[in-house]
Amino acid sequence: MNTSTARIGYARVSTSDQNHAAQVAALEAAGCTMIRTETGSGTSLENRPELEIILDFIHPGETLVVTRIDRLARSMKDLQVIVAKLQERGANIAATEQPVDTSTAAGKAFFDMLGVFAEFETNLRRERQAEGIVAARRRGVYRGRPPTIDMDEVSARIAEGQSPTRIAHEMGISRGTVYKAKGKTGEHDKAAQGPLEVREDPAP
């Protein structure tokens, strides 16, 4: 790990019942001349004022040091955002417990490999999900997400005299759904009219 440039430490814990002591000790041992601590979730870059300060004021040649990469971010997307900001300022990133140090060729290569593996894992997860859906459809157990249909709009269009074909086409639904709504509308109209009066024919 390169120790020839100014090093700024960043320690983060997720909840207030945790403390930064172990991380701070490791960062001090790594030669950090300044350490900023923060409490908050690593699942988002929002509400991370201490990290924002470091990214805004770090100088060219300096290195942002953490104990582990997940102290900075929990997703490769957020991590890449942080690294891009550091690169814009000519700064580097390093971890005390992982072989990550973008100021060295080997460390930069390892970091790039992390991005490749993360993308591969994402694509593999999507492929498995797609395969699972296909298998479920073959077994007849996959129905997909139930469609959201505005039945009030369907009924209103029927009342306007629009044809079932036109309604189905414009709303992206099946004609069967339109006929179903039409049937309910007819039942509602009959109910609104009240019971039919049955008249007996007068006796001859």
Side-chain angles (χ1 to χ4, degrees):
M1 183 178 291
N2 186 1
T3 58
S4 62
T5 58
R7 305 167 71 75
I8 301 173
Y10 175 75
R12 181 190 62 79
V13 294
S14 300
T15 60
S16 57
D17 59 344
Q18 300 173 319
N19 64 70
H20 307 85
Q23 293 181 53
V24 170
L27 294 172
E28 289 176 343
C32 292
T33 55
M34 177 188 300
I35 299 174
R36 305 194 75 95
T37 62
E38 193 150 60
T39 300
S41 172
T43 58
S44 172
L45 295 181
E46 297 181 357
N47 300 320
R48 306 270 295 279
E50 296 299 325
L51 178 59
E52 289 180 8
I53 289 174
I54 294 175
L55 297 177
D56 287 341
F57 294 100
I58 194 168
H59 295 92
E62 294 182 338
T63 301
L64 169 58
V65 185
V66 291
T67 54
R68 296 182 61 83
I69 292 300
D70 61 5
R71 295 300 91 196
L72 279 177
R74 291 296 181 89
S75 72
M76 183 55 63
K77 178 181 178 181
D78 288 345
L79 186 58
Q80 289 173 334
V81 170
I82 293 173
V83 172
K85 290 183 178 181
L86 291 172
Q87 290 176 337
E88 288 177 0
R89 301 191 67 84
N92 299 297
I93 181 175
T96 63
E97 299 178 14
Q98 296 168 318
V100 176
D101 186 347
T102 58
S103 66
T104 68
K108 186 178 185 303
F110 179 81
F111 182 82
D112 291 341
M113 287 173 59
L114 287 179
V116 172
F117 284 128
E119 184 177 357
F120 172 75
E121 183 180 0
T122 299
N123 292 335
L124 186 61
R125 189 183 304 114
R126 289 174 179 171
E127 289 180 4
R128 288 175 177 171
Q129 183 180 17
E131 290 173 356
I133 292 174
V134 171
R137 283 175 173 166
R138 288 175 179 172
R139 297 193 305 269
V141 297
Y142 181 79
R143 296 292 182 270
R145 181 178 297 177
T148 301
I149 301 173
D150 189 345
M151 298 304 290
D152 290 338
E153 182 180 353
V154 175
S155 298
R157 286 172 174 257
I158 292 172
E160 292 174 359
Q162 295 183 18
S163 69
T165 300
R166 176 184 173 186
I167 296 173
H169 176 72
E170 293 184 353
M171 295 187 64
I173 59 178
S174 67
R175 287 193 298 175
T177 300
V178 179
Y179 285 120
K180 183 178 179 180
K182 187 174 182 180
K184 289 184 177 181
T185 301
E187 292 175 1
H188 177 74
D189 292 341
K190 290 179 181 179
Q193 293 174 1
L196 295 177
E197 181 180 354
V198 179
R199 296 183 179 180
E200 297 181 358
D201 294 334

